[in-house]
Amino acid sequence: MSDRKRRQLIQAILSAPLAAGAVLPGRAAAQGQSLPAWQPGLLDIHHIATGRGNATLMVLPDGTTLLMDAGATDDSLDVSFSPRPDGSRRPGQWIARYIQRRLKETGTQALDYLMVSHFHPDHTGDVGADAPPSRLGPYRLSGVTDVAEMVPIGTVVDRDFPGYDYPTVWTAPFATNYFSYVKSRVTKGQDVQRFRVGTDKQFVGKGHHRVPGKFGVRNLVANGEVWTGVGEGTVKMFPPLDTLDRKDYPNENLCSSGLRLDYGDFRYFSCGDLTSYTYDGEQPWRDVLTAAARASGPVDVATADHHGLFDGLSADTVRLLRPQAWMIQTWHISQPDLLQLERMFSERLYPGAREVYATSVMKENLVANRRMLSRLKSIDGHIVVRVAQDGTFNIFVTDNADESDRVKMVSGPHRSSRKSA
Ligand SMILES: [Zn+2]
């Protein structure tokens, strides 16, 4: 295809109307304006779209804030989305500024929790030769550390503190830089914790505002250990490492930690880059994502973990979670994958309407997968899920071309399926 033809095709796809959704007329007023400010009693889940990796900010109903990941890849523009809003700041700086705007709304000065799902750079920050040194400690600035440089953080939680040796010791700069940051926190007496699978008492509300609704975070999975769904019980899926060939060790994605966030009847599921792929049945213990979905049970909104890549959602994961909305956090040319989209949309796997959103889909992917991608509600922009105390929720897509938080579209109100059941 000639360049001109290709550009015309992309233009046609981009200008085609997105699939019609349940947009209430009353909500149309919000389009074109800034996202209405958070208020006590609302749960906001911001899928921040920098085009360079994952960053999800949860503002809990009492104003407690939890950031899951702050990615910043150095990948070149032929395989990665371009930085948003632009390259004048690093992705972690854009994320920090986004968080600062939200903290202003909650009247707080610090991020209460940072949870690092796993140690890959699109979740923690690549550290290239030009990453500047921190003023606060002996590490360099990218992703997580860029956020920490600009926003005080109460507690850092990750899957392998304090040993950082499971299943092997990382030597890549993106990991060792993060470990240096953690070490610096420990030296200063700042809180760092290991992610505790099965509990709902690690990410607790700080009570910045008094609100009547019940909310909580359940730690579902990390390092192949999965919540049983009963009490704080867990089960370990990985065989002992000494029984495995080195090449069969669980990889970093498979060790991802993940959670379920509840507010009244509303449920949200997100597990980093957890995967379900078993080498086509050769190693069933690798299907950790399906086990996490089984522990979680049905939810209203779920992320398509591992960026909607081929090894993410199994058919059973989709059947078990059956959300009304899927969030795909995309940034790479290969994301999302066509079969993953097929599963998310499949009414054979579960009945009923559902919406699918992606944060940053590259044009090349759009051209390759346009048959399915034309059904997405959004392919570019921050995606904000806002949940009220009665379990109803709206989904906003806001513009990431600048910092105006201008609403591009609204969908809802949706009602929690547990409520309508
Ligand atoms: Zn990733």
PDB file of all heavy atoms in Angstrom, residues 42-61:
ATOM      1  N   LEU A  42     -17.102   9.644  46.002  1.00  0.00           N
ATOM      2  CA  LEU A  42     -16.890   9.104  44.653  1.00  0.00           C
ATOM      3  C   LEU A  42     -15.617   8.263  44.628  1.00  0.00           C
ATOM      4  O   LEU A  42     -14.619   8.611  45.257  1.00  0.00           O
ATOM      5  CB  LEU A  42     -16.746  10.234  43.620  1.00  0.00           C
ATOM      6  CG  LEU A  42     -17.967  11.115  43.347  1.00  0.00           C
ATOM      7  CD1 LEU A  42     -17.609  12.237  42.373  1.00  0.00           C
ATOM      8  CD2 LEU A  42     -19.127  10.273  42.787  1.00  0.00           C
ATOM      9  N   LEU A  43     -15.678   7.155  43.897  1.00  0.00           N
ATOM     10  CA  LEU A  43     -14.471   6.387  43.587  1.00  0.00           C
ATOM     11  C   LEU A  43     -14.087   6.702  42.146  1.00  0.00           C
ATOM     12  O   LEU A  43     -14.893   6.497  41.236  1.00  0.00           O
ATOM     13  CB  LEU A  43     -14.748   4.882  43.725  1.00  0.00           C
ATOM     14  CG  LEU A  43     -13.721   3.947  43.070  1.00  0.00           C
ATOM     15  CD1 LEU A  43     -12.367   4.046  43.759  1.00  0.00           C
ATOM     16  CD2 LEU A  43     -14.225   2.497  43.093  1.00  0.00           C
ATOM     17  N   ASP A  44     -12.878   7.217  41.951  1.00  0.00           N
ATOM     18  CA  ASP A  44     -12.379   7.500  40.600  1.00  0.00           C
ATOM     19  C   ASP A  44     -11.224   6.558  40.276  1.00  0.00           C
ATOM     20  O   ASP A  44     -10.311   6.389  41.092  1.00  0.00           O
ATOM     21  CB  ASP A  44     -11.862   8.941  40.498  1.00  0.00           C
ATOM     22  CG  ASP A  44     -12.974   9.959  40.317  1.00  0.00           C
ATOM     23  OD1 ASP A  44     -14.169   9.559  40.300  1.00  0.00           O
ATOM     24  OD2 ASP A  44     -12.660  11.165  40.198  1.00  0.00           O
ATOM     25  N   ILE A  45     -11.259   5.957  39.088  1.00  0.00           N
ATOM     26  CA  ILE A  45     -10.141   5.124  38.625  1.00  0.00           C
ATOM     27  C   ILE A  45      -9.643   5.729  37.318  1.00  0.00           C
ATOM     28  O   ILE A  45     -10.342   5.702  36.303  1.00  0.00           O
ATOM     29  CB  ILE A  45     -10.586   3.663  38.401  1.00  0.00           C
ATOM     30  CG1 ILE A  45     -11.274   3.110  39.657  1.00  0.00           C
ATOM     31  CG2 ILE A  45      -9.380   2.793  38.026  1.00  0.00           C
ATOM     32  CD1 ILE A  45     -12.019   1.799  39.433  1.00  0.00           C
ATOM     33  N   HIS A  46      -8.432   6.299  37.368  1.00  0.00           N
ATOM     34  CA  HIS A  46      -7.867   6.997  36.207  1.00  0.00           C
ATOM     35  C   HIS A  46      -6.851   6.102  35.514  1.00  0.00           C
ATOM     36  O   HIS A  46      -5.806   5.785  36.105  1.00  0.00           O
ATOM     37  CB  HIS A  46      -7.131   8.270  36.654  1.00  0.00           C
ATOM     38  CG  HIS A  46      -7.999   9.261  37.368  1.00  0.00           C
ATOM     39  ND1 HIS A  46      -8.541  10.363  36.742  1.00  0.00           N
ATOM     40  CD2 HIS A  46      -8.413   9.326  38.661  1.00  0.00           C
ATOM     41  CE1 HIS A  46      -9.248  11.071  37.623  1.00  0.00           C
ATOM     42  NE2 HIS A  46      -9.188  10.454  38.789  1.00  0.00           N
ATOM     43  N   HIS A  47      -7.124   5.696  34.284  1.00  0.00           N
ATOM     44  CA  HIS A  47      -6.134   4.987  33.478  1.00  0.00           C
ATOM     45  C   HIS A  47      -5.398   6.064  32.677  1.00  0.00           C
ATOM     46  O   HIS A  47      -5.914   6.554  31.661  1.00  0.00           O
ATOM     47  CB  HIS A  47      -6.812   3.960  32.577  1.00  0.00           C
ATOM     48  CG  HIS A  47      -7.674   2.987  33.352  1.00  0.00           C
ATOM     49  ND1 HIS A  47      -8.977   3.265  33.683  1.00  0.00           N
ATOM     50  CD2 HIS A  47      -7.387   1.779  33.878  1.00  0.00           C
ATOM     51  CE1 HIS A  47      -9.465   2.241  34.388  1.00  0.00           C
ATOM     52  NE2 HIS A  47      -8.529   1.338  34.522  1.00  0.00           N
ATOM     53  N   ILE A  48      -4.247   6.462  33.186  1.00  0.00           N
ATOM     54  CA  ILE A  48      -3.531   7.617  32.640  1.00  0.00           C
ATOM     55  C   ILE A  48      -2.795   7.200  31.369  1.00  0.00           C
ATOM     56  O   ILE A  48      -2.046   6.215  31.373  1.00  0.00           O
ATOM     57  CB  ILE A  48      -2.550   8.180  33.694  1.00  0.00           C
ATOM     58  CG1 ILE A  48      -3.321   8.577  34.970  1.00  0.00           C
ATOM     59  CG2 ILE A  48      -1.767   9.367  33.131  1.00  0.00           C
ATOM     60  CD1 ILE A  48      -2.423   8.929  36.153  1.00  0.00           C
ATOM     61  N   ALA A  49      -3.040   7.946  30.291  1.00  0.00           N
ATOM     62  CA  ALA A  49      -2.513   7.565  28.974  1.00  0.00           C
ATOM     63  C   ALA A  49      -1.341   8.462  28.580  1.00  0.00           C
ATOM     64  O   ALA A  49      -1.532   9.524  27.988  1.00  0.00           O
ATOM     65  CB  ALA A  49      -3.626   7.646  27.923  1.00  0.00           C
ATOM     66  N   THR A  50      -0.123   8.043  28.917  1.00  0.00           N
ATOM     67  CA  THR A  50       1.060   8.784  28.494  1.00  0.00           C
ATOM     68  C   THR A  50       1.618   8.234  27.191  1.00  0.00           C
ATOM     69  O   THR A  50       2.550   8.804  26.628  1.00  0.00           O
ATOM     70  CB  THR A  50       2.195   8.683  29.532  1.00  0.00           C
ATOM     71  OG1 THR A  50       2.600   7.309  29.624  1.00  0.00           O
ATOM     72  CG2 THR A  50       1.766   9.165  30.900  1.00  0.00           C
ATOM     73  N   GLY A  51       1.079   7.112  26.724  1.00  0.00           N
ATOM     74  CA  GLY A  51       1.601   6.470  25.523  1.00  0.00           C
ATOM     75  C   GLY A  51       2.880   5.682  25.758  1.00  0.00           C
ATOM     76  O   GLY A  51       3.469   5.153  24.824  1.00  0.00           O
ATOM     77  N   ARG A  52       3.345   5.627  27.033  1.00  0.00           N
ATOM     78  CA  ARG A  52       4.644   4.992  27.306  1.00  0.00           C
ATOM     79  C   ARG A  52       4.589   3.942  28.411  1.00  0.00           C
ATOM     80  O   ARG A  52       5.626   3.591  28.970  1.00  0.00           O
ATOM     81  CB  ARG A  52       5.680   6.060  27.682  1.00  0.00           C
ATOM     82  CG  ARG A  52       5.787   7.227  26.743  1.00  0.00           C
ATOM     83  CD  ARG A  52       6.129   6.831  25.331  1.00  0.00           C
ATOM     84  NE  ARG A  52       7.516   6.462  25.160  1.00  0.00           N
ATOM     85  CZ  ARG A  52       8.072   6.179  23.977  1.00  0.00           C
ATOM     86  NH1 ARG A  52       7.332   6.203  22.871  1.00  0.00           N
ATOM     87  NH2 ARG A  52       9.333   5.834  23.894  1.00  0.00           N
ATOM     88  N   GLY A  53       3.371   3.444  28.722  1.00  0.00           N
ATOM     89  CA  GLY A  53       3.276   2.409  29.743  1.00  0.00           C
ATOM     90  C   GLY A  53       2.091   2.638  30.659  1.00  0.00           C
ATOM     91  O   GLY A  53       1.302   3.564  30.445  1.00  0.00           O
ATOM     92  N   ASN A  54       1.976   1.778  31.674  1.00  0.00           N
ATOM     93  CA  ASN A  54       0.801   1.817  32.548  1.00  0.00           C
ATOM     94  C   ASN A  54       0.959   2.787  33.717  1.00  0.00           C
ATOM     95  O   ASN A  54       2.048   2.898  34.296  1.00  0.00           O
ATOM     96  CB  ASN A  54       0.544   0.431  33.149  1.00  0.00           C
ATOM     97  CG  ASN A  54      -0.079  -0.526  32.159  1.00  0.00           C
ATOM     98  OD1 ASN A  54       0.085  -0.365  30.950  1.00  0.00           O
ATOM     99  ND2 ASN A  54      -0.782  -1.515  32.663  1.00  0.00           N
ATOM    100  N   ALA A  55      -0.138   3.422  34.066  1.00  0.00           N
ATOM    101  CA  ALA A  55      -0.233   4.202  35.297  1.00  0.00           C
ATOM    102  C   ALA A  55      -1.716   4.327  35.612  1.00  0.00           C
ATOM    103  O   ALA A  55      -2.472   4.864  34.803  1.00  0.00           O
ATOM    104  CB  ALA A  55       0.386   5.589  35.133  1.00  0.00           C
ATOM    105  N   THR A  56      -2.125   3.774  36.749  1.00  0.00           N
ATOM    106  CA  THR A  56      -3.534   3.821  37.136  1.00  0.00           C
ATOM    107  C   THR A  56      -3.641   4.465  38.504  1.00  0.00           C
ATOM    108  O   THR A  56      -3.080   3.968  39.475  1.00  0.00           O
ATOM    109  CB  THR A  56      -4.134   2.405  37.202  1.00  0.00           C
ATOM    110  OG1 THR A  56      -3.805   1.707  35.999  1.00  0.00           O
ATOM    111  CG2 THR A  56      -5.644   2.466  37.355  1.00  0.00           C
ATOM    112  N   LEU A  57      -4.350   5.582  38.565  1.00  0.00           N
ATOM    113  CA  LEU A  57      -4.542   6.277  39.838  1.00  0.00           C
ATOM    114  C   LEU A  57      -5.957   6.022  40.341  1.00  0.00           C
ATOM    115  O   LEU A  57      -6.925   6.301  39.634  1.00  0.00           O
ATOM    116  CB  LEU A  57      -4.324   7.784  39.671  1.00  0.00           C
ATOM    117  CG  LEU A  57      -4.591   8.594  40.942  1.00  0.00           C
ATOM    118  CD1 LEU A  57      -3.552   8.293  42.022  1.00  0.00           C
ATOM    119  CD2 LEU A  57      -4.616  10.093  40.638  1.00  0.00           C
ATOM    120  N   MET A  58      -6.056   5.471  41.551  1.00  0.00           N
ATOM    121  CA  MET A  58      -7.363   5.252  42.163  1.00  0.00           C
ATOM    122  C   MET A  58      -7.540   6.262  43.285  1.00  0.00           C
ATOM    123  O   MET A  58      -6.690   6.365  44.169  1.00  0.00           O
ATOM    124  CB  MET A  58      -7.450   3.825  42.696  1.00  0.00           C
ATOM    125  CG  MET A  58      -7.158   2.788  41.601  1.00  0.00           C
ATOM    126  SD  MET A  58      -6.890   1.132  42.227  1.00  0.00           S
ATOM    127  CE  MET A  58      -5.661   0.540  41.012  1.00  0.00           C
ATOM    128  N   VAL A  59      -8.624   7.012  43.203  1.00  0.00           N
ATOM    129  CA  VAL A  59      -8.974   7.941  44.279  1.00  0.00           C
ATOM    130  C   VAL A  59     -10.177   7.338  44.992  1.00  0.00           C
ATOM    131  O   VAL A  59     -11.273   7.262  44.425  1.00  0.00           O
ATOM    132  CB  VAL A  59      -9.309   9.347  43.736  1.00  0.00           C
ATOM    133  CG1 VAL A  59      -9.593  10.301  44.884  1.00  0.00           C
ATOM    134  CG2 VAL A  59      -8.168   9.880  42.862  1.00  0.00           C
ATOM    135  N   LEU A  60      -9.946   6.846  46.195  1.00  0.00           N
ATOM    136  CA  LEU A  60     -10.981   6.121  46.922  1.00  0.00           C
ATOM    137  C   LEU A  60     -11.999   7.105  47.499  1.00  0.00           C
ATOM    138  O   LEU A  60     -11.737   8.309  47.586  1.00  0.00           O
ATOM    139  CB  LEU A  60     -10.334   5.252  48.003  1.00  0.00           C
ATOM    140  CG  LEU A  60      -9.214   4.312  47.514  1.00  0.00           C
ATOM    141  CD1 LEU A  60      -8.787   3.353  48.629  1.00  0.00           C
ATOM    142  CD2 LEU A  60      -9.630   3.517  46.283  1.00  0.00           C
ATOM    143  N   PRO A  61     -13.176   6.602  47.884  1.00  0.00           N
ATOM    144  CA  PRO A  61     -14.267   7.511  48.293  1.00  0.00           C
ATOM    145  C   PRO A  61     -13.925   8.448  49.453  1.00  0.00           C
ATOM    146  O   PRO A  61     -14.525   9.520  49.575  1.00  0.00           O
ATOM    147  CB  PRO A  61     -15.385   6.531  48.688  1.00  0.00           C
ATOM    148  CG  PRO A  61     -15.117   5.298  47.879  1.00  0.00           C
ATOM    149  CD  PRO A  61     -13.626   5.192  47.794  1.00  0.00           C
TER     150      PRO A  61
END
